[in-house]
Amino acid sequence: MKKRELSISYLEYKGTDELSEADRHLVEEAKTAAAGAYAPYSHFMVGAAIELDEGTVVRGANVENAAFPSGSCAEKTALSYTVANFSDKKAKAIAIVAFSEGELTDDPVPPCGNCRQMLIEEEQRLGSPIRVILAGKTDVIILDNCQSLMPLSFTRTNLRK
Ligand code: THU
């Protein structure tokens, strides 16, 4: 028996002032995206903005449904659009924000497990890291890649015999 340990590292900032201009811009794009949320049930409006290598930004928001499981998260909306329309481009970074009762949340909102799974799939398809920027009002977290969000994840290699 062996005991193994996995660790992840991330950067934590107080607010967006210390971010690079490009990252700050992506956070602003995510805020714009959140305005497009359809969230009549949770009133929790999430926005995701994906920066592609040639500068295009793809925005997505959560889209809820009376049949709750039929809804889509913001990250899923943005990722699906990116893969369907820009499969030849590389996603470099994704910024995620959320508004609760009309206010940007104080703490960064992390992607749900299903969205982490989707982010890791896209990172593996591209073969290069997608940075993750989680921006709250007081704290901002930046991870170098999506894989760090979910260690021991199920991926395409697990489908082999
Ligand atoms: N939501 C997202 O859009 N992304 C996440 O990663 C977490 C949750 C949405 C789903 C639902 O519309 C609302 O937030 C409340 O869970």
Side-chain angles (χ1 to χ4, degrees), residues 10-13 44 96-98 104-111 133-142:
Y10 58 88
L11 299 174
E12 193 177 83
Y13 297 85
F44 192 66
I96 302 162
V97 301
L104 184 66
T105 58
D106 282 339
D107 296 328
V109 166
I133 304 164
L134 309 174
K137 210 187 292 175
T138 47
D139 287 329
V140 179
I141 286 174
I142 300 189

Side-chain angles (χ1 to χ4, degrees), residues 35-136:
Y38 174 67
Y41 305 104
S42 72
H43 306 289
F44 192 66
M45 299 175 79
V46 186
I50 297 177
E51 180 197 349
L52 305 182
D53 52 3
E54 35 70 82
T56 302
V57 173
V58 175
R59 298 197 290 241
N62 52 332
V63 179
E64 298 184 346
N65 193 284
F68 289 4
S70 299
S72 175
C73 287
E75 301 90 321
K76 186 175 181 177
T77 308
L79 259 179
S80 299
Y81 191 90
T82 301
V83 175
N85 295 285
F86 299 102
S87 61
D88 55 331
K89 306 278 188 292
K90 282 197 172 198
K92 307 286 282 180
I94 180 169
I96 302 162
V97 301
F99 290 80
S100 183
E101 293 168 21
E103 291 248 357
L104 184 66
T105 58
D106 282 339
D107 296 328
V109 166
C112 75
N114 194 42
C115 290
R116 291 175 195 219
Q117 186 73 28
M118 289 193 70
L119 285 163
I120 289 168
E121 178 79 20
E122 180 60 354
E123 193 168 70
Q124 296 212 339
R125 185 182 76 85
L126 297 172
S128 59
I130 304 172
R131 296 170 60 248
V132 182
I133 304 164
L134 309 174

